[in-house]
Amino acid sequence: MAAQEGSTVDIDTSLFITVSGPPGCGATTLCEQLADAIGCPYVSGGEVFRELAEDRDMSLNQLIAKADESDEIDRALDQRLQQIAEKWGMSNKPFILESRLAGWIAGDRADLRLWLDAPEAVRLDRIDDRIETEAEMRVREVSEAGRYESYYEIDIDDREFYDLHINTARWSKRAVFTIVRSAIEEYDPEIDEGAFRTPPMNP
């Protein structure tokens, strides 16, 4: 019998997993499912960004506008995420890091790097009930891609080093979780012939 959409299955692992993708890709849903099944914490770039806004007594829109003006905010966010990645990368405990640059930030500390995506129309429908509008989402994606290239010489479309790339529009939320769960459970470090090396990133 198939598992219910919202149910989870326990996963025994010590892997450090990164999840990345554009707005509306389903990253938050997958991270919540994985964190529940593994029994481990996860940190999202969005949460850290909100913390930075609170630290500066600014709204999210104000902080986004400031990020467009200089590299201060982006670098502060990425430095904080990198510190988190370094801490958990040395802990030998399971952990999930989610952000557009999580795979780059965690680098070779990550055991499994995931990229989620979906056609733009699907992603727009998924964020329909969020504060962000369609135009804002498109502007943000272009703006972020330009900043990544300018600050770090990162091409966000370069996904060679990701271990698993999933179009989340092709399966249900539960099925996406099942695919990733299988990848985690079937991972055997003794037969791992090596991940693609992540280019260094220095926030």
Side-chain angles (χ1 to χ4, degrees), residues 149-170:
E149 179 72 29
S150 173
Y151 302 161
Y152 309 127
E153 297 184 349
I154 284 177
D155 178 3
I156 195 66
D157 292 323
D158 178 8
R159 297 163 196 163
E160 180 182 65
F161 63 87
Y162 288 99
D163 302 298
L164 198 59
H165 183 173
I166 303 174
N167 177 356
T168 61
R170 303 298 302 276

PDB file of all heavy atoms in Angstrom, residues 149-170:
ATOM      1  N   GLU A 149      27.334  36.024 -10.142  1.00  0.00           N
ATOM      2  CA  GLU A 149      28.387  36.102 -11.157  1.00  0.00           C
ATOM      3  C   GLU A 149      29.376  37.206 -10.830  1.00  0.00           C
ATOM      4  O   GLU A 149      30.595  37.030 -10.946  1.00  0.00           O
ATOM      5  CB  GLU A 149      27.754  36.357 -12.530  1.00  0.00           C
ATOM      6  CG  GLU A 149      28.752  36.484 -13.668  1.00  0.00           C
ATOM      7  CD  GLU A 149      29.395  35.161 -14.042  1.00  0.00           C
ATOM      8  OE1 GLU A 149      28.753  34.114 -13.866  1.00  0.00           O
ATOM      9  OE2 GLU A 149      30.554  35.186 -14.509  1.00  0.00           O
ATOM     10  N   SER A 150      28.859  38.346 -10.371  1.00  0.00           N
ATOM     11  CA  SER A 150      29.706  39.500 -10.076  1.00  0.00           C
ATOM     12  C   SER A 150      30.565  39.279  -8.832  1.00  0.00           C
ATOM     13  O   SER A 150      31.754  39.572  -8.828  1.00  0.00           O
ATOM     14  CB  SER A 150      28.827  40.741  -9.881  1.00  0.00           C
ATOM     15  OG  SER A 150      29.598  41.837  -9.443  1.00  0.00           O
ATOM     16  N   TYR A 151      29.969  38.750  -7.760  1.00  0.00           N
ATOM     17  CA  TYR A 151      30.687  38.601  -6.495  1.00  0.00           C
ATOM     18  C   TYR A 151      31.622  37.405  -6.481  1.00  0.00           C
ATOM     19  O   TYR A 151      32.747  37.484  -6.000  1.00  0.00           O
ATOM     20  CB  TYR A 151      29.709  38.430  -5.327  1.00  0.00           C
ATOM     21  CG  TYR A 151      28.722  39.558  -5.139  1.00  0.00           C
ATOM     22  CD1 TYR A 151      27.557  39.349  -4.404  1.00  0.00           C
ATOM     23  CD2 TYR A 151      28.927  40.822  -5.679  1.00  0.00           C
ATOM     24  CE1 TYR A 151      26.640  40.375  -4.216  1.00  0.00           C
ATOM     25  CE2 TYR A 151      28.014  41.834  -5.500  1.00  0.00           C
ATOM     26  CZ  TYR A 151      26.867  41.613  -4.766  1.00  0.00           C
ATOM     27  OH  TYR A 151      25.955  42.612  -4.589  1.00  0.00           O
ATOM     28  N   TYR A 152      31.126  36.264  -6.985  1.00  0.00           N
ATOM     29  CA  TYR A 152      31.855  35.006  -6.798  1.00  0.00           C
ATOM     30  C   TYR A 152      32.258  34.321  -8.100  1.00  0.00           C
ATOM     31  O   TYR A 152      32.838  33.239  -8.060  1.00  0.00           O
ATOM     32  CB  TYR A 152      30.985  34.029  -5.996  1.00  0.00           C
ATOM     33  CG  TYR A 152      30.424  34.580  -4.722  1.00  0.00           C
ATOM     34  CD1 TYR A 152      29.050  34.509  -4.445  1.00  0.00           C
ATOM     35  CD2 TYR A 152      31.247  35.177  -3.759  1.00  0.00           C
ATOM     36  CE1 TYR A 152      28.530  35.013  -3.265  1.00  0.00           C
ATOM     37  CE2 TYR A 152      30.720  35.680  -2.580  1.00  0.00           C
ATOM     38  CZ  TYR A 152      29.362  35.599  -2.336  1.00  0.00           C
ATOM     39  OH  TYR A 152      28.839  36.095  -1.168  1.00  0.00           O
ATOM     40  N   GLU A 153      31.918  34.920  -9.237  1.00  0.00           N
ATOM     41  CA  GLU A 153      32.147  34.294 -10.538  1.00  0.00           C
ATOM     42  C   GLU A 153      31.443  32.939 -10.596  1.00  0.00           C
ATOM     43  O   GLU A 153      31.958  31.960 -11.148  1.00  0.00           O
ATOM     44  CB  GLU A 153      33.640  34.142 -10.823  1.00  0.00           C
ATOM     45  CG  GLU A 153      34.375  35.474 -10.909  1.00  0.00           C
ATOM     46  CD  GLU A 153      35.836  35.322 -11.289  1.00  0.00           C
ATOM     47  OE1 GLU A 153      36.336  34.184 -11.276  1.00  0.00           O
ATOM     48  OE2 GLU A 153      36.472  36.334 -11.606  1.00  0.00           O
ATOM     49  N   ILE A 154      30.235  32.899 -10.014  1.00  0.00           N
ATOM     50  CA  ILE A 154      29.423  31.690  -9.998  1.00  0.00           C
ATOM     51  C   ILE A 154      28.350  31.783 -11.080  1.00  0.00           C
ATOM     52  O   ILE A 154      27.611  32.763 -11.147  1.00  0.00           O
ATOM     53  CB  ILE A 154      28.748  31.491  -8.621  1.00  0.00           C
ATOM     54  CG1 ILE A 154      29.769  30.994  -7.601  1.00  0.00           C
ATOM     55  CG2 ILE A 154      27.593  30.492  -8.723  1.00  0.00           C
ATOM     56  CD1 ILE A 154      29.199  30.839  -6.215  1.00  0.00           C
ATOM     57  N   ASP A 155      28.282  30.767 -11.904  1.00  0.00           N
ATOM     58  CA  ASP A 155      27.210  30.641 -12.882  1.00  0.00           C
ATOM     59  C   ASP A 155      26.167  29.715 -12.274  1.00  0.00           C
ATOM     60  O   ASP A 155      26.372  28.502 -12.184  1.00  0.00           O
ATOM     61  CB  ASP A 155      27.751  30.067 -14.191  1.00  0.00           C
ATOM     62  CG  ASP A 155      26.666  29.865 -15.240  1.00  0.00           C
ATOM     63  OD1 ASP A 155      25.498  30.224 -14.972  1.00  0.00           O
ATOM     64  OD2 ASP A 155      26.986  29.342 -16.315  1.00  0.00           O
ATOM     65  N   ILE A 156      25.040  30.311 -11.823  1.00  0.00           N
ATOM     66  CA  ILE A 156      24.025  29.528 -11.118  1.00  0.00           C
ATOM     67  C   ILE A 156      23.469  28.417 -12.000  1.00  0.00           C
ATOM     68  O   ILE A 156      22.905  27.434 -11.513  1.00  0.00           O
ATOM     69  CB  ILE A 156      22.886  30.447 -10.619  1.00  0.00           C
ATOM     70  CG1 ILE A 156      22.008  29.723  -9.583  1.00  0.00           C
ATOM     71  CG2 ILE A 156      22.054  30.946 -11.782  1.00  0.00           C
ATOM     72  CD1 ILE A 156      22.712  29.410  -8.301  1.00  0.00           C
ATOM     73  N   ASP A 157      23.620  28.538 -13.336  1.00  0.00           N
ATOM     74  CA  ASP A 157      23.130  27.505 -14.244  1.00  0.00           C
ATOM     75  C   ASP A 157      24.112  26.339 -14.380  1.00  0.00           C
ATOM     76  O   ASP A 157      23.790  25.338 -15.025  1.00  0.00           O
ATOM     77  CB  ASP A 157      22.864  28.101 -15.631  1.00  0.00           C
ATOM     78  CG  ASP A 157      21.681  29.066 -15.617  1.00  0.00           C
ATOM     79  OD1 ASP A 157      20.709  28.800 -14.886  1.00  0.00           O
ATOM     80  OD2 ASP A 157      21.733  30.088 -16.328  1.00  0.00           O
ATOM     81  N   ASP A 158      25.289  26.458 -13.779  1.00  0.00           N
ATOM     82  CA  ASP A 158      26.256  25.368 -13.796  1.00  0.00           C
ATOM     83  C   ASP A 158      25.895  24.384 -12.691  1.00  0.00           C
ATOM     84  O   ASP A 158      26.126  24.646 -11.517  1.00  0.00           O
ATOM     85  CB  ASP A 158      27.670  25.912 -13.585  1.00  0.00           C
ATOM     86  CG  ASP A 158      28.722  24.810 -13.534  1.00  0.00           C
ATOM     87  OD1 ASP A 158      28.367  23.648 -13.815  1.00  0.00           O
ATOM     88  OD2 ASP A 158      29.876  25.110 -13.210  1.00  0.00           O
ATOM     89  N   ARG A 159      25.315  23.271 -13.062  1.00  0.00           N
ATOM     90  CA  ARG A 159      24.840  22.305 -12.060  1.00  0.00           C
ATOM     91  C   ARG A 159      25.566  20.971 -12.153  1.00  0.00           C
ATOM     92  O   ARG A 159      25.073  19.951 -11.690  1.00  0.00           O
ATOM     93  CB  ARG A 159      23.330  22.111 -12.222  1.00  0.00           C
ATOM     94  CG  ARG A 159      22.572  23.412 -11.961  1.00  0.00           C
ATOM     95  CD  ARG A 159      21.169  23.389 -12.491  1.00  0.00           C
ATOM     96  NE  ARG A 159      20.641  24.751 -12.541  1.00  0.00           N
ATOM     97  CZ  ARG A 159      19.582  25.111 -13.239  1.00  0.00           C
ATOM     98  NH1 ARG A 159      18.933  24.207 -13.946  1.00  0.00           N
ATOM     99  NH2 ARG A 159      19.159  26.359 -13.240  1.00  0.00           N
ATOM    100  N   GLU A 160      26.740  20.998 -12.727  1.00  0.00           N
ATOM    101  CA  GLU A 160      27.493  19.760 -12.942  1.00  0.00           C
ATOM    102  C   GLU A 160      27.770  19.001 -11.655  1.00  0.00           C
ATOM    103  O   GLU A 160      27.745  17.770 -11.630  1.00  0.00           O
ATOM    104  CB  GLU A 160      28.818  20.084 -13.641  1.00  0.00           C
ATOM    105  CG  GLU A 160      29.677  18.863 -13.907  1.00  0.00           C
ATOM    106  CD  GLU A 160      30.997  19.219 -14.550  1.00  0.00           C
ATOM    107  OE1 GLU A 160      31.801  19.901 -13.882  1.00  0.00           O
ATOM    108  OE2 GLU A 160      31.228  18.828 -15.697  1.00  0.00           O
ATOM    109  N   PHE A 161      28.036  19.744 -10.576  1.00  0.00           N
ATOM    110  CA  PHE A 161      28.470  19.064  -9.348  1.00  0.00           C
ATOM    111  C   PHE A 161      27.314  18.560  -8.485  1.00  0.00           C
ATOM    112  O   PHE A 161      27.537  17.926  -7.454  1.00  0.00           O
ATOM    113  CB  PHE A 161      29.379  19.982  -8.514  1.00  0.00           C
ATOM    114  CG  PHE A 161      28.704  21.233  -8.028  1.00  0.00           C
ATOM    115  CD1 PHE A 161      28.003  21.243  -6.842  1.00  0.00           C
ATOM    116  CD2 PHE A 161      28.767  22.403  -8.765  1.00  0.00           C
ATOM    117  CE1 PHE A 161      27.383  22.396  -6.388  1.00  0.00           C
ATOM    118  CE2 PHE A 161      28.161  23.556  -8.328  1.00  0.00           C
ATOM    119  CZ  PHE A 161      27.457  23.560  -7.136  1.00  0.00           C
ATOM    120  N   TYR A 162      26.064  18.830  -8.891  1.00  0.00           N
ATOM    121  CA  TYR A 162      24.934  18.318  -8.109  1.00  0.00           C
ATOM    122  C   TYR A 162      24.801  16.820  -8.327  1.00  0.00           C
ATOM    123  O   TYR A 162      24.969  16.311  -9.434  1.00  0.00           O
ATOM    124  CB  TYR A 162      23.640  19.029  -8.495  1.00  0.00           C
ATOM    125  CG  TYR A 162      23.578  20.456  -8.016  1.00  0.00           C
ATOM    126  CD1 TYR A 162      23.868  21.503  -8.872  1.00  0.00           C
ATOM    127  CD2 TYR A 162      23.280  20.747  -6.685  1.00  0.00           C
ATOM    128  CE1 TYR A 162      23.847  22.821  -8.430  1.00  0.00           C
ATOM    129  CE2 TYR A 162      23.256  22.065  -6.229  1.00  0.00           C
ATOM    130  CZ  TYR A 162      23.548  23.094  -7.114  1.00  0.00           C
ATOM    131  OH  TYR A 162      23.527  24.392  -6.667  1.00  0.00           O
ATOM    132  N   ASP A 163      24.475  16.113  -7.265  1.00  0.00           N
ATOM    133  CA  ASP A 163      24.366  14.662  -7.332  1.00  0.00           C
ATOM    134  C   ASP A 163      23.016  14.195  -7.858  1.00  0.00           C
ATOM    135  O   ASP A 163      22.902  13.106  -8.417  1.00  0.00           O
ATOM    136  CB  ASP A 163      24.601  14.054  -5.939  1.00  0.00           C
ATOM    137  CG  ASP A 163      25.961  14.434  -5.384  1.00  0.00           C
ATOM    138  OD1 ASP A 163      26.970  14.071  -6.008  1.00  0.00           O
ATOM    139  OD2 ASP A 163      26.009  15.119  -4.345  1.00  0.00           O
ATOM    140  N   LEU A 164      22.004  15.013  -7.647  1.00  0.00           N
ATOM    141  CA  LEU A 164      20.653  14.637  -8.049  1.00  0.00           C
ATOM    142  C   LEU A 164      19.909  15.900  -8.468  1.00  0.00           C
ATOM    143  O   LEU A 164      19.905  16.893  -7.735  1.00  0.00           O
ATOM    144  CB  LEU A 164      19.934  13.959  -6.878  1.00  0.00           C
ATOM    145  CG  LEU A 164      18.697  13.118  -7.177  1.00  0.00           C
ATOM    146  CD1 LEU A 164      19.033  11.980  -8.142  1.00  0.00           C
ATOM    147  CD2 LEU A 164      18.123  12.557  -5.878  1.00  0.00           C
ATOM    148  N   HIS A 165      19.320  15.860  -9.660  1.00  0.00           N
ATOM    149  CA  HIS A 165      18.571  16.996 -10.205  1.00  0.00           C
ATOM    150  C   HIS A 165      17.161  16.495 -10.488  1.00  0.00           C
ATOM    151  O   HIS A 165      16.974  15.588 -11.300  1.00  0.00           O
ATOM    152  CB  HIS A 165      19.253  17.486 -11.486  1.00  0.00           C
ATOM    153  CG  HIS A 165      18.602  18.696 -12.089  1.00  0.00           C
ATOM    154  ND1 HIS A 165      19.138  19.371 -13.163  1.00  0.00           N
ATOM    155  CD2 HIS A 165      17.456  19.364 -11.789  1.00  0.00           C
ATOM    156  CE1 HIS A 165      18.359  20.393 -13.491  1.00  0.00           C
ATOM    157  NE2 HIS A 165      17.338  20.394 -12.668  1.00  0.00           N
ATOM    158  N   ILE A 166      16.153  17.085  -9.818  1.00  0.00           N
ATOM    159  CA  ILE A 166      14.787  16.585  -9.922  1.00  0.00           C
ATOM    160  C   ILE A 166      13.834  17.683 -10.395  1.00  0.00           C
ATOM    161  O   ILE A 166      13.809  18.783  -9.828  1.00  0.00           O
ATOM    162  CB  ILE A 166      14.283  16.047  -8.560  1.00  0.00           C
ATOM    163  CG1 ILE A 166      15.215  14.960  -8.036  1.00  0.00           C
ATOM    164  CG2 ILE A 166      12.864  15.500  -8.692  1.00  0.00           C
ATOM    165  CD1 ILE A 166      14.863  14.487  -6.638  1.00  0.00           C
ATOM    166  N   ASN A 167      13.051  17.375 -11.408  1.00  0.00           N
ATOM    167  CA  ASN A 167      11.953  18.236 -11.832  1.00  0.00           C
ATOM    168  C   ASN A 167      10.751  17.884 -10.961  1.00  0.00           C
ATOM    169  O   ASN A 167      10.084  16.872 -11.192  1.00  0.00           O
ATOM    170  CB  ASN A 167      11.648  18.004 -13.317  1.00  0.00           C
ATOM    171  CG  ASN A 167      10.453  18.815 -13.798  1.00  0.00           C
ATOM    172  OD1 ASN A 167       9.790  19.500 -13.022  1.00  0.00           O
ATOM    173  ND2 ASN A 167      10.171  18.726 -15.091  1.00  0.00           N
ATOM    174  N   THR A 168      10.476  18.696  -9.955  1.00  0.00           N
ATOM    175  CA  THR A 168       9.444  18.366  -8.966  1.00  0.00           C
ATOM    176  C   THR A 168       8.026  18.493  -9.509  1.00  0.00           C
ATOM    177  O   THR A 168       7.071  18.139  -8.806  1.00  0.00           O
ATOM    178  CB  THR A 168       9.591  19.258  -7.717  1.00  0.00           C
ATOM    179  OG1 THR A 168       9.429  20.641  -8.098  1.00  0.00           O
ATOM    180  CG2 THR A 168      10.952  19.059  -7.062  1.00  0.00           C
ATOM    181  N   ALA A 169       7.883  18.977 -10.735  1.00  0.00           N
ATOM    182  CA  ALA A 169       6.546  19.042 -11.339  1.00  0.00           C
ATOM    183  C   ALA A 169       6.112  17.676 -11.878  1.00  0.00           C
ATOM    184  O   ALA A 169       4.930  17.470 -12.173  1.00  0.00           O
ATOM    185  CB  ALA A 169       6.530  20.065 -12.473  1.00  0.00           C
ATOM    186  N   ARG A 170       7.049  16.736 -11.986  1.00  0.00           N
ATOM    187  CA  ARG A 170       6.744  15.439 -12.582  1.00  0.00           C
ATOM    188  C   ARG A 170       6.198  14.429 -11.578  1.00  0.00           C
ATOM    189  O   ARG A 170       5.629  13.409 -11.969  1.00  0.00           O
ATOM    190  CB  ARG A 170       8.002  14.849 -13.251  1.00  0.00           C
ATOM    191  CG  ARG A 170       8.640  15.714 -14.322  1.00  0.00           C
ATOM    192  CD  ARG A 170       7.715  15.957 -15.505  1.00  0.00           C
ATOM    193  NE  ARG A 170       7.271  14.723 -16.157  1.00  0.00           N
ATOM    194  CZ  ARG A 170       7.988  14.094 -17.090  1.00  0.00           C
ATOM    195  NH1 ARG A 170       9.165  14.564 -17.479  1.00  0.00           N
ATOM    196  NH2 ARG A 170       7.517  12.990 -17.644  1.00  0.00           N
TER     197      ARG A 170
END
